Amino acid sequence: MDAVHDALRRDTRRLLVWSRSCFPVTTPAWTDFQERLRTHLAAERTTLWPVLRRRKLPVDAGPVERARRRVTLLAVTVDDCLAGRGPASRTAEYMTALDEALTAYLDAQKALVLPLLEEHITAGEWADYDAAQRQPFGLASGAALCAWLLDEAPPERREAIRRLFPPGVRVAYRWWERRRARDVVATAGQPRRTSKARR
């Protein structure tokens, strides 16, 4: 969960910078972030909150739930701005509000919910959350999730994050990472094209 939270915070920082200088149109970065956010919120709602309710643990879910609804609403609003269903000129404004709302939501979870989960949740219940977080499950989707979590992760945490995934996914990720590195090197070595007018 810590790794997912860090990745979501990283993505919102990047999208916030992008929104202030972009032509407001949907991009792969926004689409990927929205899907990760939607999956994470659904995984928490369907696997973790029921655990807290079953154990009748002393947590006031109201503030966290209200913060989650605000995050969801603002994500939809930003998407509307980018897709032409809302005011494109307000994309940066709504992205700023989304960044602030998501930060408040994740901070509330860390302070109020995570300590209770760490103390009371079982290994099997964590596994249920992990499975929901990794949907759809497969080597390709697992490698993509692994890459997303490792992006900008501190060196001391990278191996711990890799160990969250089964061996097959780790192998697929290493293959994907080597191929991406080769593509970067190959692209960097290509000569720049010049127009006919400049030849």
Side-chain angles (χ1 to χ4, degrees):
M1 183 181 286
D2 282 337
V4 171
H5 285 190
D6 287 347
L8 290 172
R9 292 177 193 269
R10 176 205 67 222
D11 281 2
T12 52
R13 288 195 304 269
R14 291 176 178 175
L15 288 166
L16 186 57
V17 172
W18 165 78
S19 71
R20 291 170 176 167
S21 60
C22 75
F23 180 80
V25 64
T26 302
T27 65
W30 168 255
T31 300
D32 290 347
F33 166 76
Q34 191 179 34
E35 182 60 30
R36 297 294 186 198
L37 178 63
R38 186 184 301 116
T39 300
H40 175 64
L41 295 178
E44 291 180 332
R45 186 176 64 254
T46 58
T47 64
L48 297 183
W49 283 110
V51 171
L52 298 180
R53 288 194 291 268
R54 284 197 302 270
R55 285 168 174 64
K56 297 180 172 61
L57 297 177
V59 57
D60 181 6
V64 178
E65 179 60 22
R66 286 192 293 273
R68 183 191 66 79
R69 287 199 297 267
R70 178 163 173 75
V71 168
T72 301
L73 176 62
L74 285 167
V76 171
T77 303
V78 172
D79 193 58
D80 286 343
C81 291
L82 295 174
R85 296 184 297 269
S89 61
R90 300 185 67 182
T91 300
E93 174 189 343
Y94 288 127
M95 189 65 225
T96 299
L98 174 59
D99 176 58
E100 293 171 351
L102 183 60
T103 297
Y105 174 70
L106 298 179
D107 287 349
Q109 273 200 320
K110 187 171 184 178
L112 301 175
V113 179
L114 194 54
L116 291 173
L117 292 173
E118 289 176 338
E119 182 177 355
H120 296 284
I121 198 170
T122 67
E125 289 162 342
W126 271 126
D128 291 339
Y129 163 76
D130 182 55
Q133 180 65 67
R134 289 189 286 133
Q135 293 300 320
F137 181 73
L139 289 182
S141 59
L145 178 60
C146 184
W148 180 67
L149 294 177
L150 288 172
D151 187 9
E152 289 191 7
E156 63 272 13
R157 294 189 61 191
R158 293 179 67 84
E159 185 55 34
I161 292 173
R162 289 190 188 95
R163 287 199 300 269
L164 296 171
F165 294 87
V169 170
R170 296 200 296 268
V171 170
Y173 167 73
R174 287 196 296 269
W175 175 86
W176 177 86
E177 186 69 10
R178 286 196 297 268
R179 180 174 179 177
R180 188 173 72 93
R182 287 197 302 269
D183 290 345
V184 169
V185 171
T187 302
Q190 291 177 356
R192 293 182 60 186
R193 291 185 177 180
T194 57
S195 66
K196 293 182 179 179
R198 294 178 58 189
R199 288 177 183 173

